Amino acid sequence: MTHARIIGVGAYLPERILTNADLESLVDTSDEWIVSRTGVRERRVVSEGESTSTVGAAAARAALADAGLEATDIDLIVLGTSSPDHIFPSTASLVQRDIGATCPALDVMAACTGFIYALQHATASIESGRVKRALVIGAEAITRQVDFSDRGTCILFGDGAGAVVLEAGSEAGVLGIDLGCDGSGADVLIVPAGGAAAPCTPERVAAGEQYIRMVGSEVFKFAVRVIPETTMRALEASGLGLDDLTWFIPHQANQRIITAAAERLGLDDSRVFSNIEFTGNTSAASIPLALNDLYTDGQLNPGDVLALVGFGAGLTWGAAIVRWTKGYSG
Ligand SMILES: CC(C)(COP(=O)(O)OP(=O)(O)OC[C@H]1O[C@@H](n2cnc3c(N)ncnc32)[C@H](O)[C@@H]1OP(=O)(O)O)[C@@H](O)C(=O)NCCC(=O)NCCS
């Protein structure tokens, strides 16, 4: 059987840093509240001229360089995002243009689970024999959808992008994937206006409906429930158990969610990755950004087993179990 494995990793974070102290001057909040309730100390924010496609293209170039490939070597680009540059064309089309690729390209919109959904699409395309090499990207300029007068959401989010290159071969890298969706929770985390259901009118813009609306406590409970469930299902689909895991790499939404979910799984801190302190919630970019941090820090060794676990609006969730097959030369 043909399998997919990761042969390149890359990431990009915008230069501009927004600290909790900066947010104290925008809304009624405090560094102490934000750190204790979320774990976030700072996040990156796109500047004028940057967008989801520009950060996505930067991450894609880094992943291609790491794989030692040219953009024209890629057969498929799948990009997960919650903050596309436009409704159409897809952000993947813009990345394809900017990096000089010539292959089909599409966006996957599964909110913060977007990278796992994109990975599933690319993996299935490779396993079917239709695609030899795929670029899987998670990219966000999600702060453009954040209401910086809403203290319940503006403290959480940040921008960035991460990408991996998948290649077909006999060695199994992506072992098993579990995906899920419960559309009955669609209203819990939503950008109400800007799509076909509610086009942006002056009235809707005045009411701030183009920004993220979230019932934080509901999302919190949902996340702590689904993270362990989807992790266990993906492990089962891979024929593995919790003891086989080298790294648990959850979506970075809130440190308290990460800690509570890891406790439910019985995983001790040494196997749980977190970089939320410096990134905030970068939605579909968070998992490949986390993977890139571990990789460039020299913490991944061939044979390691990783659980990449996402959840988000939809409501959606998903987990991928990956056997690491690559060394890092720095
Ligand atoms: C948003 C979140 C941090 C709020 O934390 P919480 O502990 O649930 O806090 P609550 O919403 O219960 O609010 C508690 C109090 O803090 C206040 N508060 C909310 N945001 C605040 C802020 N930034 N600074 C200071 N106080 C704040 C609330 O107004 C509330 O005050 P009240 O008791 O006087 O009404 C938390 O619910 C969360 O992270 N949820 C998940 C969100 C998420 O992951 N979304 C993305 C999914 S991909």
Side-chain angles (χ1 to χ4, degrees):
M1 181 185 166
T2 303
H3 297 282
R5 69 183 182 100
I6 294 175
I7 61 160
V9 188
Y12 176 80
L13 284 172
E15 275 179 23
R16 198 172 137 216
I17 296 174
L18 188 70
T19 64
N20 291 348
D22 296 329
L23 288 169
E24 284 175 357
S25 65
L26 295 175
V27 289
D28 180 14
T29 191
S30 65
D31 175 57
E32 192 278 328
W33 194 96
I34 300 171
V35 172
S36 64
R37 298 293 182 112
T38 73
V40 184
R41 290 184 191 275
E42 61 183 46
R43 67 291 287 147
R44 301 298 180 102
V45 178
V46 286
S47 299
E48 184 79 30
E50 287 186 308
S51 67
T52 300
S53 68
T54 70
V55 296
R61 283 191 200 96
L64 285 169
D66 185 52
L69 295 176
E70 302 294 329
T72 46
D73 296 325
I74 297 295
D75 306 317
L76 174 71
I77 298 173
V78 193
L79 183 145
T81 188
S82 308
S83 51
D85 278 15
H86 308 283
I87 288 179
F88 64 81
S90 72
T91 303
S93 302
L94 306 177
V95 170
Q96 191 250 29
R97 176 194 66 193
D98 293 349
I99 65 174
T102 52
C103 60
L106 77 155
D107 286 1
V108 166
M109 292 194 70
C112 301
T113 322
F115 183 77
I116 305 295
Y117 270 69
L119 191 69
Q120 155 80 355
H121 185 91
T123 299
S125 300
I126 286 176
E127 289 175 348
S128 74
R130 286 167 191 258
V131 162
K132 189 157 183 281
R133 293 193 191 106
L135 194 49
V136 184
I137 306 167
E140 302 287 1
I142 198 161
T143 58
R144 296 258 160 83
Q145 287 163 194
V146 167
D147 178 354
F148 280 96
S149 67
D150 173 13
R151 69 178 182 172
T153 54
C154 74
I155 56 161
L156 292 173
F157 294 97
D159 300 329
V164 300
V165 178
L166 289 184
E167 187 175 68
S170 55
E171 193 179 5
V174 183
L175 303 178
I177 297 183
D178 176 71
L179 298 179
C181 175
D182 175 8
S184 70
D187 290 340
V188 170
L189 182 51
I190 188 169
V191 176
C200 273
T201 58
E203 294 75 23
R204 289 194 177 110
V205 170
E209 292 180 24
Q210 72 278 31
Y211 294 130
I212 296 168
R213 298 272 175 89
M214 179 179 76
V215 187
S217 55
E218 289 298 315
V219 179
F220 197 103
K221 281 183 278 181
F222 152 76
V224 173
R225 177 172 57 81
V226 296
I227 295 170
E229 290 173 358
T230 191
T231 304
M232 293 312 295
R233 278 194 297 266
L235 277 168
E236 199 181 324
S238 309
L240 297 174
L242 277 174
D243 289 347
D244 297 306
L245 276 187
T246 317
W247 283 107
F248 175 65
I249 307 173
H251 169 46
Q252 308 285 307
N254 182 320
Q255 185 57 46
R256 283 160 56 221
I257 291 176
I258 296 171
T259 304
E263 267 173 20
R264 282 197 182 192
L265 282 165
L267 294 170
D268 68 275
D269 289 352
S270 63
R271 288 197 284 168
V272 179
F273 182 76
S274 172
N275 62 1
I276 192 169
E277 193 177 342
F278 305 107
T279 61
N281 178 349
T282 57
S283 193
S286 100
I287 290 171
L289 273 169
L291 187 65
N292 184 73
D293 271 4
L294 270 172
Y295 175 59
T296 54
D297 202 27
Q299 303 247 42
L300 297 184
N301 297 299
D304 285 355
V305 176
L306 322 177
L308 314 177
V309 188
F311 62 89
L315 296 165
T316 56
W317 59 89
I321 307 300
V322 172
R323 190 182 300 283
W324 199 248
T325 54
K326 192 177 161 47
Y328 179 63
S329 50

